[in-house]
Amino acid sequence: MSSALLQLNRLRRPRLLLRAARLGVPQYCRARTLKRLLPDKRHAPGEQILRALLILEQDLDHARRARDAQYESARHVEVLIALLSEAGRLAAVPAIPFPGMAVPPPPQTAVGIGKTTW
């Protein structure tokens, strides 16, 4: 698991923010949202996008905790939607094994049974 995903797993945010973000994940439009949130990094690799979104979310969370008048909860939810979506996208990509890294063997078919065994 990447360090950005580990950092995301450690986030503790109010339930209402996370619930709103989870509800928005199915409607997430990557091109439109990243163009608005990260115009200079929207074509970057997934890990870099996730790190940039984490920084943006941390800034928003600091503003929320400080009760800053400039804080926008809608923007915070939008960033959380992007974070959840990009993390899901990054986690769904299988890791490319490095030389010397143990790779599990392909599944084998049991003789005479025709079922795959692991």
Side-chain angles (χ1 to χ4, degrees):
M1 189 180 286
S2 72
S3 63
L5 287 174
L6 289 173
Q7 189 177 358
L8 182 61
N9 283 337
R10 289 188 219 130
L11 286 182
R12 298 289 175 247
R13 299 297 181 256
R15 282 186 186 173
L16 185 60
L17 273 177
L18 291 177
R19 187 178 300 162
R22 284 189 195 112
L23 289 172
V25 168
Q27 287 81 32
Y28 176 69
C29 177
R30 187 173 201 259
R32 183 186 64 224
T33 305
L34 292 181
K35 183 179 179 182
R36 186 173 40 252
L37 295 176
L38 305 170
D40 56 333
K41 294 190 184 211
R42 67 178 191 223
H43 298 297
E47 181 83 19
Q48 288 180 9
I49 288 173
L50 198 59
R51 287 176 200 265
L53 287 169
L54 278 168
I55 292 168
L56 187 58
E57 193 281 331
Q58 287 171 351
D59 292 343
L60 287 165
D61 195 58
H62 287 296
R64 178 186 65 82
R65 290 173 187 251
R67 300 183 186 273
D68 189 342
Q70 301 292 320
Y71 172 73
E72 296 178 36
S73 59
R75 183 165 174 86
H76 200 164
V77 170
E78 182 180 31
V79 171
L80 284 170
I81 290 168
L83 260 175
L84 292 174
S85 299
E86 292 298 321
R89 180 182 166 103
L90 190 62
V93 175
I96 299 171
F98 294 101
M101 201 173 164
V103 178
Q108 297 179 4
T109 304
V111 178
I113 298 174
K115 293 183 179 178
T116 304
T117 60
W118 296 97

